[in-house]
Amino acid sequence: MSENPAHKSDKKPKRHPWLPVVAGIIRREKMVLLGQRPEGGNLAGLWEFPGGKIELGEQPDRALARELKEELNIDAEIGQLKFAATHNYGDVGVLLLFYEVNFWKGQPETAHHTELRWVHIDDLPKMALPEANRNVLDRIIALLK
Ligand code: DGT
């Protein structure tokens, strides 16, 4: 039997998948737009920053513009990437890219969420947020101030 570790196993170590996700910071003065995730799905009932998964080969800012059209029916001009965060949900990791949304055309509609709400930054900690957002709430609040 060889002692060479390379021969110990043919199996590669299991790598957990990562989901790249874009999220939009849509603000009006001291308020930010959150959407309640729909019933029956992943993280149902939690309040998220509108956005979603980046498709393979898609540019992140284009992905966000697409998601905001699909979810809110607005035509958004995506601004700067403000910060990135990661979170481990156990079986899957998410990489969240938070973008500022500079301008948008149209009134946000609930095309995907159960409800949309403009939330004052001081009230953000009281909202039921996904863990991935809760962990970076200080950074989100600092950005909004
Ligand atoms: P689906 O139905 O395959 O599109 O899946 P969803 O609805 O679970 O996923 P989607 O496209 O909203 O992807 C976002 C993932 O990132 C989801 O696992 C939830 C997680 N997430 C954590 N915080 C946020 C956030 O602030 N905004 C968004 N959009 N997603 C977040």
Side-chain angles (χ1 to χ4, degrees), residues 19 21-24 37-38 41-43 47-53 67 71 89 92 94 96 98 112-113 130-133:
L19 287 178
V21 175
V22 279
R37 290 180 63 88
N42 195 11
L43 309 176
W47 292 85
E48 69 173 11
F49 293 84
K53 295 178 195 114
E67 288 282 355
E71 290 190 349
Y89 277 110
V92 69
V94 288
L96 275 167
F98 286 89
H112 165 75
H113 297 99
E131 252 183 82
N133 300 16

mmCIF file of all heavy atoms in Angstrom, residues 19 21-24 37-38 41-43 47-53 67 71 89 92 94 96 98 112-113 130-133, ligand 1:
data_model
loop_
_atom_site.group_PDB
_atom_site.id
_atom_site.type_symbol
_atom_site.label_atom_id
_atom_site.label_comp_id
_atom_site.label_asym_id
_atom_site.label_seq_id
_atom_site.Cartn_x
_atom_site.Cartn_y
_atom_site.Cartn_z
ATOM 1 N N LEU A 19 -23.621 30.786 -4.479
ATOM 2 C CA LEU A 19 -24.562 31.518 -5.313
ATOM 3 C C LEU A 19 -24.157 32.981 -5.323
ATOM 4 O O LEU A 19 -24.117 33.610 -4.260
ATOM 5 C CB LEU A 19 -25.963 31.474 -4.708
ATOM 6 C CG LEU A 19 -26.757 30.192 -4.761
ATOM 7 C CD1 LEU A 19 -28.093 30.423 -4.054
ATOM 8 C CD2 LEU A 19 -26.997 29.814 -6.223
ATOM 9 N N VAL A 21 -25.186 36.647 -5.782
ATOM 10 C CA VAL A 21 -26.485 37.347 -5.701
ATOM 11 C C VAL A 21 -26.245 38.855 -5.725
ATOM 12 O O VAL A 21 -25.292 39.342 -5.096
ATOM 13 C CB VAL A 21 -27.207 36.953 -4.380
ATOM 14 C CG1 VAL A 21 -28.489 37.744 -4.187
ATOM 15 C CG2 VAL A 21 -27.500 35.449 -4.362
ATOM 16 N N VAL A 22 -27.087 39.565 -6.454
ATOM 17 C CA VAL A 22 -27.026 41.032 -6.455
ATOM 18 C C VAL A 22 -28.241 41.570 -5.713
ATOM 19 O O VAL A 22 -29.337 41.010 -5.809
ATOM 20 C CB VAL A 22 -27.003 41.604 -7.895
ATOM 21 C CG1 VAL A 22 -25.610 41.538 -8.482
ATOM 22 C CG2 VAL A 22 -27.997 40.892 -8.806
ATOM 23 N N ALA A 23 -28.030 42.641 -4.960
ATOM 24 C CA ALA A 23 -29.126 43.254 -4.215
ATOM 25 C C ALA A 23 -29.051 44.769 -4.408
ATOM 26 O O ALA A 23 -27.952 45.342 -4.450
ATOM 27 C CB ALA A 23 -29.016 42.895 -2.736
ATOM 28 N N GLY A 24 -30.208 45.391 -4.539
ATOM 29 C CA GLY A 24 -30.269 46.832 -4.819
ATOM 30 C C GLY A 24 -30.630 47.645 -3.589
ATOM 31 O O GLY A 24 -31.542 47.275 -2.855
ATOM 32 N N ARG A 37 -40.207 38.282 1.094
ATOM 33 C CA ARG A 37 -40.067 37.098 0.236
ATOM 34 C C ARG A 37 -41.345 36.261 0.260
ATOM 35 O O ARG A 37 -41.962 36.104 1.301
ATOM 36 C CB ARG A 37 -38.853 36.267 0.669
ATOM 37 C CG ARG A 37 -37.534 36.979 0.349
ATOM 38 C CD ARG A 37 -36.335 36.188 0.774
ATOM 39 N NE ARG A 37 -36.235 34.912 0.072
ATOM 40 C CZ ARG A 37 -35.611 34.732 -1.106
ATOM 41 N NH1 ARG A 37 -35.057 35.745 -1.733
ATOM 42 N NH2 ARG A 37 -35.546 33.542 -1.638
ATOM 43 N N PRO A 38 -41.723 35.760 -0.925
ATOM 44 C CA PRO A 38 -43.017 35.079 -1.046
ATOM 45 C C PRO A 38 -43.117 33.779 -0.258
ATOM 46 O O PRO A 38 -42.103 33.118 -0.006
ATOM 47 C CB PRO A 38 -43.139 34.811 -2.542
ATOM 48 C CG PRO A 38 -41.801 35.009 -3.126
ATOM 49 C CD PRO A 38 -41.005 35.860 -2.200
ATOM 50 N N GLY A 41 -41.465 29.646 -0.640
ATOM 51 C CA GLY A 41 -40.096 29.577 -1.169
ATOM 52 C C GLY A 41 -39.074 29.613 -0.046
ATOM 53 O O GLY A 41 -39.410 29.551 1.141
ATOM 54 N N ASN A 42 -37.851 29.706 -0.479
ATOM 55 C CA ASN A 42 -36.705 29.826 0.399
ATOM 56 C C ASN A 42 -36.808 31.136 1.208
ATOM 57 O O ASN A 42 -37.167 32.165 0.658
ATOM 58 C CB ASN A 42 -35.524 29.906 -0.587
ATOM 59 C CG ASN A 42 -34.213 29.685 0.030
ATOM 60 O OD1 ASN A 42 -34.133 29.267 1.184
ATOM 61 N ND2 ASN A 42 -33.166 29.979 -0.717
ATOM 62 N N LEU A 43 -36.535 31.100 2.493
ATOM 63 C CA LEU A 43 -36.528 32.295 3.367
ATOM 64 C C LEU A 43 -37.854 33.068 3.289
ATOM 65 O O LEU A 43 -37.863 34.301 3.309
ATOM 66 C CB LEU A 43 -35.353 33.225 3.032
ATOM 67 C CG LEU A 43 -33.945 32.607 2.965
ATOM 68 C CD1 LEU A 43 -32.917 33.642 2.516
ATOM 69 C CD2 LEU A 43 -33.525 32.040 4.322
ATOM 70 N N TRP A 47 -37.661 39.912 4.948
ATOM 71 C CA TRP A 47 -37.606 41.164 4.173
ATOM 72 C C TRP A 47 -36.220 41.322 3.571
ATOM 73 O O TRP A 47 -35.232 41.394 4.308
ATOM 74 C CB TRP A 47 -37.955 42.347 5.069
ATOM 75 C CG TRP A 47 -39.389 42.321 5.486
ATOM 76 C CD1 TRP A 47 -39.919 41.633 6.539
ATOM 77 C CD2 TRP A 47 -40.475 42.970 4.827
ATOM 78 N NE1 TRP A 47 -41.275 41.827 6.581
ATOM 79 C CE2 TRP A 47 -41.645 42.644 5.554
ATOM 80 C CE3 TRP A 47 -40.589 43.798 3.706
ATOM 81 C CZ2 TRP A 47 -42.905 43.119 5.191
ATOM 82 C CZ3 TRP A 47 -41.830 44.270 3.347
ATOM 83 C CH2 TRP A 47 -42.971 43.930 4.077
ATOM 84 N N GLU A 48 -36.180 41.398 2.249
ATOM 85 C CA GLU A 48 -34.890 41.437 1.555
ATOM 86 C C GLU A 48 -34.737 42.719 0.748
ATOM 87 O O GLU A 48 -35.713 43.419 0.473
ATOM 88 C CB GLU A 48 -34.778 40.235 0.604
ATOM 89 C CG GLU A 48 -35.731 40.339 -0.568
ATOM 90 C CD GLU A 48 -35.566 39.270 -1.622
ATOM 91 O OE1 GLU A 48 -34.834 38.292 -1.388
ATOM 92 O OE2 GLU A 48 -36.182 39.402 -2.695
ATOM 93 N N PHE A 49 -33.501 42.960 0.371
ATOM 94 C CA PHE A 49 -33.225 44.001 -0.605
ATOM 95 C C PHE A 49 -33.520 43.387 -1.968
ATOM 96 O O PHE A 49 -33.003 42.302 -2.274
ATOM 97 C CB PHE A 49 -31.770 44.454 -0.496
ATOM 98 C CG PHE A 49 -31.507 45.167 0.804
ATOM 99 C CD1 PHE A 49 -31.221 44.452 1.961
ATOM 100 C CD2 PHE A 49 -31.619 46.544 0.868
ATOM 101 C CE1 PHE A 49 -31.021 45.103 3.169
ATOM 102 C CE2 PHE A 49 -31.421 47.202 2.078
ATOM 103 C CZ PHE A 49 -31.129 46.487 3.225
ATOM 104 N N PRO A 50 -34.349 44.037 -2.767
ATOM 105 C CA PRO A 50 -34.719 43.424 -4.047
ATOM 106 C C PRO A 50 -33.494 43.051 -4.882
ATOM 107 O O PRO A 50 -32.497 43.773 -4.883
ATOM 108 C CB PRO A 50 -35.542 44.521 -4.729
ATOM 109 C CG PRO A 50 -36.101 45.313 -3.591
ATOM 110 C CD PRO A 50 -35.030 45.314 -2.534
ATOM 111 N N GLY A 51 -33.583 41.942 -5.565
ATOM 112 C CA GLY A 51 -32.466 41.460 -6.378
ATOM 113 C C GLY A 51 -32.590 39.968 -6.555
ATOM 114 O O GLY A 51 -33.668 39.413 -6.377
ATOM 115 N N GLY A 52 -31.488 39.303 -6.869
ATOM 116 C CA GLY A 52 -31.533 37.860 -7.056
ATOM 117 C C GLY A 52 -30.237 37.334 -7.617
ATOM 118 O O GLY A 52 -29.222 38.028 -7.619
ATOM 119 N N LYS A 53 -30.315 36.103 -8.087
ATOM 120 C CA LYS A 53 -29.106 35.416 -8.526
ATOM 121 C C LYS A 53 -28.611 35.939 -9.872
ATOM 122 O O LYS A 53 -29.420 36.244 -10.748
ATOM 123 C CB LYS A 53 -29.404 33.922 -8.682
ATOM 124 C CG LYS A 53 -29.741 33.271 -7.376
ATOM 125 C CD LYS A 53 -30.075 31.802 -7.582
ATOM 126 C CE LYS A 53 -30.752 31.237 -6.364
ATOM 127 N NZ LYS A 53 -32.145 30.836 -6.596
ATOM 128 N N GLU A 67 -33.336 41.813 -12.614
ATOM 129 C CA GLU A 67 -34.133 41.383 -11.457
ATOM 130 C C GLU A 67 -35.104 42.481 -11.026
ATOM 131 O O GLU A 67 -36.245 42.196 -10.637
ATOM 132 C CB GLU A 67 -33.218 41.020 -10.276
ATOM 133 C CG GLU A 67 -32.448 39.720 -10.463
ATOM 134 C CD GLU A 67 -33.291 38.465 -10.222
ATOM 135 O OE1 GLU A 67 -34.460 38.574 -9.811
ATOM 136 O OE2 GLU A 67 -32.774 37.359 -10.473
ATOM 137 N N GLU A 71 -38.926 41.831 -10.757
ATOM 138 C CA GLU A 71 -39.526 41.790 -9.412
ATOM 139 C C GLU A 71 -40.360 43.022 -9.091
ATOM 140 O O GLU A 71 -41.330 42.934 -8.339
ATOM 141 C CB GLU A 71 -38.422 41.690 -8.340
ATOM 142 C CG GLU A 71 -37.712 40.357 -8.327
ATOM 143 C CD GLU A 71 -36.804 40.199 -7.116
ATOM 144 O OE1 GLU A 71 -36.557 41.180 -6.392
ATOM 145 O OE2 GLU A 71 -36.346 39.064 -6.901
ATOM 146 N N TYR A 89 -25.055 29.422 4.332
ATOM 147 C CA TYR A 89 -26.364 28.913 4.744
ATOM 148 C C TYR A 89 -26.304 27.406 5.038
ATOM 149 O O TYR A 89 -27.330 26.757 5.112
ATOM 150 C CB TYR A 89 -27.429 29.208 3.686
ATOM 151 C CG TYR A 89 -28.021 30.608 3.781
ATOM 152 C CD1 TYR A 89 -27.749 31.568 2.822
ATOM 153 C CD2 TYR A 89 -28.854 30.955 4.838
ATOM 154 C CE1 TYR A 89 -28.293 32.853 2.905
ATOM 155 C CE2 TYR A 89 -29.400 32.231 4.932
ATOM 156 C CZ TYR A 89 -29.119 33.168 3.968
ATOM 157 O OH TYR A 89 -29.657 34.427 4.070
ATOM 158 N N VAL A 92 -25.177 25.760 1.216
ATOM 159 C CA VAL A 92 -24.823 26.670 0.128
ATOM 160 C C VAL A 92 -24.308 27.987 0.705
ATOM 161 O O VAL A 92 -24.716 28.397 1.795
ATOM 162 C CB VAL A 92 -26.046 26.896 -0.804
ATOM 163 C CG1 VAL A 92 -27.140 27.690 -0.127
ATOM 164 C CG2 VAL A 92 -25.653 27.549 -2.101
ATOM 165 N N VAL A 94 -23.674 32.164 -0.047
ATOM 166 C CA VAL A 94 -24.081 33.256 -0.944
ATOM 167 C C VAL A 94 -23.012 34.340 -0.899
ATOM 168 O O VAL A 94 -22.430 34.622 0.151
ATOM 169 C CB VAL A 94 -25.468 33.878 -0.616
ATOM 170 C CG1 VAL A 94 -26.590 32.935 -0.969
ATOM 171 C CG2 VAL A 94 -25.567 34.356 0.809
ATOM 172 N N LEU A 96 -23.093 38.150 -1.700
ATOM 173 C CA LEU A 96 -24.074 39.218 -1.951
ATOM 174 C C LEU A 96 -23.351 40.487 -2.373
ATOM 175 O O LEU A 96 -22.472 40.960 -1.645
ATOM 176 C CB LEU A 96 -24.831 39.522 -0.660
ATOM 177 C CG LEU A 96 -26.037 38.688 -0.309
ATOM 178 C CD1 LEU A 96 -26.431 38.953 1.129
ATOM 179 C CD2 LEU A 96 -27.200 39.055 -1.221
ATOM 180 N N PHE A 98 -23.940 44.330 -3.041
ATOM 181 C CA PHE A 98 -24.922 45.406 -2.817
ATOM 182 C C PHE A 98 -24.599 46.604 -3.702
ATOM 183 O O PHE A 98 -23.511 47.187 -3.595
ATOM 184 C CB PHE A 98 -24.892 45.858 -1.352
ATOM 185 C CG PHE A 98 -25.532 44.890 -0.413
ATOM 186 C CD1 PHE A 98 -24.790 43.871 0.165
ATOM 187 C CD2 PHE A 98 -26.880 44.988 -0.089
ATOM 188 C CE1 PHE A 98 -25.375 42.969 1.044
ATOM 189 C CE2 PHE A 98 -27.471 44.084 0.789
ATOM 190 C CZ PHE A 98 -26.718 43.074 1.354
ATOM 191 N N HIS A 112 -43.430 40.149 -7.462
ATOM 192 C CA HIS A 112 -42.774 38.934 -6.950
ATOM 193 C C HIS A 112 -42.955 38.809 -5.432
ATOM 194 O O HIS A 112 -43.233 37.734 -4.923
ATOM 195 C CB HIS A 112 -41.281 39.001 -7.306
ATOM 196 C CG HIS A 112 -40.412 38.037 -6.581
ATOM 197 N ND1 HIS A 112 -40.382 36.698 -6.878
ATOM 198 C CD2 HIS A 112 -39.527 38.214 -5.564
ATOM 199 C CE1 HIS A 112 -39.513 36.097 -6.078
ATOM 200 N NE2 HIS A 112 -38.994 36.986 -5.268
ATOM 201 N N HIS A 113 -42.812 39.926 -4.731
ATOM 202 C CA HIS A 113 -42.864 39.905 -3.266
ATOM 203 C C HIS A 113 -44.309 39.900 -2.774
ATOM 204 O O HIS A 113 -45.224 40.298 -3.495
ATOM 205 C CB HIS A 113 -42.140 41.138 -2.699
ATOM 206 C CG HIS A 113 -40.674 41.169 -3.028
ATOM 207 N ND1 HIS A 113 -40.148 41.909 -4.061
ATOM 208 C CD2 HIS A 113 -39.633 40.520 -2.459
ATOM 209 C CE1 HIS A 113 -38.836 41.726 -4.106
ATOM 210 N NE2 HIS A 113 -38.497 40.886 -3.156
ATOM 211 N N PRO A 130 -33.063 38.308 6.234
ATOM 212 C CA PRO A 130 -32.270 37.083 6.084
ATOM 213 C C PRO A 130 -30.967 37.233 6.885
ATOM 214 O O PRO A 130 -30.444 38.337 7.020
ATOM 215 C CB PRO A 130 -31.959 37.022 4.588
ATOM 216 C CG PRO A 130 -32.942 37.930 3.932
ATOM 217 C CD PRO A 130 -33.304 38.975 4.937
ATOM 218 N N GLU A 131 -30.494 36.125 7.411
ATOM 219 C CA GLU A 131 -29.255 36.147 8.213
ATOM 220 C C GLU A 131 -28.108 36.835 7.476
ATOM 221 O O GLU A 131 -27.310 37.533 8.085
ATOM 222 C CB GLU A 131 -28.811 34.703 8.469
ATOM 223 C CG GLU A 131 -28.989 34.219 9.873
ATOM 224 C CD GLU A 131 -28.448 32.806 9.986
ATOM 225 O OE1 GLU A 131 -27.230 32.665 10.132
ATOM 226 O OE2 GLU A 131 -29.256 31.868 9.880
ATOM 227 N N ALA A 132 -28.054 36.608 6.171
ATOM 228 C CA ALA A 132 -26.974 37.185 5.362
ATOM 229 C C ALA A 132 -26.984 38.707 5.453
ATOM 230 O O ALA A 132 -25.942 39.348 5.305
ATOM 231 C CB ALA A 132 -27.120 36.749 3.911
ATOM 232 N N ASN A 133 -28.151 39.300 5.681
ATOM 233 C CA ASN A 133 -28.259 40.759 5.775
ATOM 234 C C ASN A 133 -28.081 41.226 7.205
ATOM 235 O O ASN A 133 -27.491 42.268 7.462
ATOM 236 C CB ASN A 133 -29.625 41.243 5.289
ATOM 237 C CG ASN A 133 -29.910 40.871 3.863
ATOM 238 O OD1 ASN A 133 -29.243 40.011 3.307
ATOM 239 N ND2 ASN A 133 -30.892 41.478 3.269
HETATM 240 P P1 DGT B 1 -35.282 31.101 -7.307
HETATM 241 O O1 DGT B 1 -36.716 30.757 -7.116
HETATM 242 O O2 DGT B 1 -34.443 29.951 -7.776
HETATM 243 O O3 DGT B 1 -35.030 32.361 -8.049
HETATM 244 O O4 DGT B 1 -34.732 31.267 -5.836
HETATM 245 P P2 DGT B 1 -34.888 32.348 -4.704
HETATM 246 O O5 DGT B 1 -36.127 33.145 -4.840
HETATM 247 O O6 DGT B 1 -34.643 31.617 -3.429
HETATM 248 O O7 DGT B 1 -33.625 33.188 -4.935
HETATM 249 P P3 DGT B 1 -33.271 34.643 -5.389
HETATM 250 O O8 DGT B 1 -33.165 34.676 -6.875
HETATM 251 O O9 DGT B 1 -34.072 35.650 -4.670
HETATM 252 O O10 DGT B 1 -31.770 34.562 -4.858
HETATM 253 C C1 DGT B 1 -31.322 35.226 -3.763
HETATM 254 C C2 DGT B 1 -30.653 34.306 -2.758
HETATM 255 O O11 DGT B 1 -29.888 35.117 -1.856
HETATM 256 C C3 DGT B 1 -31.650 33.599 -1.902
HETATM 257 O O12 DGT B 1 -31.070 32.374 -1.482
HETATM 258 C C4 DGT B 1 -31.798 34.514 -0.704
HETATM 259 C C5 DGT B 1 -30.431 35.118 -0.549
HETATM 260 N N1 DGT B 1 -30.457 36.493 0.003
HETATM 261 C C6 DGT B 1 -29.993 36.858 1.210
HETATM 262 N N2 DGT B 1 -30.146 38.172 1.425
HETATM 263 C C7 DGT B 1 -30.711 38.687 0.307
HETATM 264 C C8 DGT B 1 -31.125 40.017 -0.067
HETATM 265 O O13 DGT B 1 -31.029 41.020 0.634
HETATM 266 N N3 DGT B 1 -31.680 40.142 -1.300
HETATM 267 C C9 DGT B 1 -31.835 39.078 -2.138
HETATM 268 N N4 DGT B 1 -32.387 39.307 -3.324
HETATM 269 N N5 DGT B 1 -31.454 37.819 -1.807
HETATM 270 C C10 DGT B 1 -30.906 37.613 -0.596
#
